[in-house]
Amino acid sequence: MPTSSEVASRRPLTAMLLLQVVATWSFSLCLGVVTSLVMLATFGLLSNYLTVKVLRLWGRTMLWMCRVEYEVDGTENLAADTAKVITFNHGSFLDSMLVTAVMPDRSVAAIKRSVLFYPMVGSTLYLMGFLLLDRRLTPAAKR
């Protein structure tokens, strides 16, 4: 059975975690609403310019809020004029934060096509120029 001092020492940590959860969700919601409004108001005309910047802002801010430090090595070995594919396996929620935080300019994010049917989110992601993957049609996608 934990002593009263052990319980008291856990309270600041619990409060800090709760604050982090509220802050990250609030930031994500606010950025999502603003991005949706801008994309819908401009019919996606700004997507080439804004999409990577918005995703990078989200990723870097979320990592900062979660106190995750990262360092990217070897970018000088990447040719600037060629396409790149970055994959991750959703091992944790940090995957999406890290990938978006380090996205190079002119990147395209890919999502499953079924996300199009989410209210507001789907139309926003479509207007942002996300690559839509239909996971049910794997043979057709390989062609």
Side-chain angles (χ1 to χ4, degrees):
M1 179 116 183
T3 64
S4 60
S5 62
E6 289 173 339
V7 171
S9 69
R10 281 190 235 151
R11 281 192 191 124
L13 181 61
T14 303
M16 179 66 137
L17 289 175
L18 181 62
L19 180 61
Q20 274 183 321
V21 169
V22 170
T24 55
W25 276 99
S26 298
F27 174 75
S28 294
L29 181 65
C30 290
L31 184 64
V33 168
V34 169
T35 302
S36 292
L37 292 174
V38 169
M39 287 298 155
L40 292 171
T42 63
F43 300 105
L45 295 175
L46 300 176
S47 65
N48 288 340
Y49 176 74
L50 284 181
T51 299
V52 172
K53 291 182 181 358
V54 168
L55 292 174
R56 200 180 295 144
L57 172 69
W58 177 80
R60 290 178 180 175
T61 304
M62 296 297 281
L63 290 170
W64 176 77
M65 286 180 168
C66 295
R67 297 183 172 167
V68 174
E69 294 180 13
Y70 63 95
E71 182 178 330
V72 179
D73 292 327
T75 56
E76 67 277 1
N77 299 319
L78 298 173
D81 58 343
T82 61
K84 290 122 186 109
V85 176
I86 301 172
T87 61
F88 56 100
N89 62 359
H90 297 293
S92 74
F93 189 60
L94 288 176
D95 287 353
S96 57
M97 292 179 203
L98 285 167
V99 169
T100 56
V102 300
M103 282 180 86
D105 289 333
R106 297 177 43 216
S107 297
V108 176
I111 56 171
K112 61 183 181 176
R113 191 175 192 291
S114 61
V115 173
L116 282 179
F117 302 107
Y118 299 172
M120 288 295 289
V121 173
S123 57
T124 300
L125 296 177
Y126 176 78
L127 291 172
M128 289 178 78
F130 277 60
L131 181 62
L132 305 170
L133 304 176
D134 192 346
R135 294 170 22 177
R136 295 175 299 154
L137 302 174
T138 304
K142 288 181 181 177
R143 284 186 264 147

